[in-house]
Amino acid sequence: TVSSPICSGSRSSKTFKPKKNIPEGSHQYELLKHAEATLGSGNLRMAVMLPEGEDLNEWVAVNTVDFFNQINMLYGTITDFCTEESCPVMSAGPKYEYHWADGTNIKKPIKCSAPKYIDYLMTWVQDQLDDETLFPSKIGVPFPKNFMSVAKTILKRLFRVYAHIYHQHFDPVIQLQEEAHLNTSFKHFIFFVQEFNLIDRRELAPLQELIEKLTSKDR
C-alpha cells in the first residue's frame, strides 16, 4: 500500500520540530548546564557572557541550539492561530515582510504564508544544527571557518519568528499566559546577540521599541 503524504499545511501536533538534544556527558552539555544555572540567577546580562576559558564558537553553538528549542516551543503553542488564512504573508507588522530563500534549494526569494515560511526556516535551521561538520558535538572536533557566519544567519532568521509572534500573535500569547515566558526568552536572545554582535541593527528594526523597553531596565 502506498501511504499518502501528510499535508504539510496542517500541523495539529503541538511540537513543531523535534527538539535538538545536546548529548549528556559532553562538554557542550556542561556549558548548557552552566547557562541554565546563570539564567536561574535572573541576571541575563551575566548569563550571556562567555564563561572564562571557554571557546566562543562552542558557546555560540550551545546557545543557538537552546534558542532554536525555545522558539520551536513558543511557536508550537500558537500554530493554531498562525494559518494560511490568518497569515498569508510572513510579516512583522505592516512595514516588514519576509520572503524565503535558503541559497541551495530555493535560490530566488519566494513569497509565502507565515506558517510555510516558518516551516522552511525551522527545517533549514535544524538541518544546519544536525550537520556535524558545522555543529560538531564530539570533543576536539574543530568548528569550521565559516561557523560564525552560519550562526549569524541562523540567529537572524530565528529573530524573524519572534518578530512575527510579537506583531501578529500577541493576543493568543496573552490568552495562553505565555507572555512572561516569551518576554524572558526574547530578552535572553537579545542580550546574547548584542553581547557578541551577531545580528545587524537593521534586522532588529521590527522590534526596536520592544528591545529598548526590555533592555533599558538592565543597563
Side-chain angles (χ1 to χ4, degrees):
T1 56
V2 180
S3 61
S4 62
I6 296 164
C7 168
S8 63
S10 61
R11 285 190 312 268
S12 56
S13 64
K14 273 286 170 250
T15 47
F16 171 55
K17 290 264 171 272
K19 194 170 191 288
K20 162 92 179 168
N21 287 319
I22 290 173
E24 257 185 83
S26 67
H27 183 61
Q28 292 187 5
Y29 187 77
E30 296 306 312
L31 273 180
L32 184 64
K33 288 284 157 244
H34 168 88
E36 284 169 359
T38 49
L39 272 176
S41 72
N43 186 334
L44 288 170
R45 285 237 185 261
M46 290 289 289
V48 299
M49 288 177 182
L50 181 67
E52 207 175 324
E54 292 298 343
D55 175 48
L56 178 60
N57 284 346
E58 198 156 33
W59 184 236
V60 169
V62 165
N63 281 277
T64 300
V65 169
D66 194 35
F67 288 127
F68 169 76
N69 286 336
Q70 287 183 42
I71 293 167
N72 196 356
M73 204 166 65
L74 286 161
Y75 182 69
T77 63
I78 57 105
T79 50
D80 291 350
F81 304 94
C82 187
T83 63
E84 303 281 326
E85 294 72 39
S86 69
C87 303
V89 294
M90 173 64 180
S91 65
K95 285 197 294 193
Y96 300 96
E97 188 177 305
Y98 300 114
H99 297 176
W100 178 255
D102 57 14
T104 46
N105 299 325
I106 301 173
K107 292 194 166 72
K108 196 167 180 253
I110 57 168
K111 192 169 177 167
C112 53
S113 69
K116 192 83 196 130
Y117 184 101
I118 292 171
D119 199 5
Y120 279 134
L121 186 157
M122 297 302 257
T123 303
W124 177 83
V125 173
Q126 190 161 34
D127 288 345
Q128 311 308 302
L129 301 183
D130 287 341
D131 183 344
E132 280 288 326
T133 62
L134 270 179
F135 280 76
S137 59
K138 293 177 182 67
I139 290 181
V141 176
F143 281 84
K145 291 203 166 41
N146 66 331
F147 171 74
M148 249 337 148
S149 69
V150 173
K152 284 178 176 179
T153 304
I154 290 172
L155 293 164
K156 174 180 83 176
R157 288 178 172 172
L158 288 175
F159 168 81
R160 294 171 180 177
V161 184
Y162 279 121
H164 180 71
I165 294 172
Y166 271 113
H167 276 283
Q168 309 301 131
H169 302 295
F170 201 58
D171 287 344
V173 166
I174 291 169
Q175 284 162 25
L176 294 161
Q177 300 182 319
E178 292 272 341
E179 188 185 356
H181 182 181
L182 175 65
N183 284 346
T184 304
S185 173
F186 180 62
K187 192 171 172 181
H188 180 200
F189 178 89
I190 286 301
F191 280 175
F192 190 81
V193 299
Q194 285 178 341
E195 174 74 12
F196 303 107
N197 206 11
L198 298 169
I199 301 183
D200 193 296
R201 256 185 85 88
R202 285 170 311 192
E203 283 287 337
L204 300 174
L207 293 178
Q208 197 50 51
E209 278 178 39
L210 176 70
I211 291 168
E212 279 165 20
K213 199 168 111 186
L214 287 176
T215 57
S216 63
K217 298 187 189 95
D218 291 84
R219 290 240 161 82

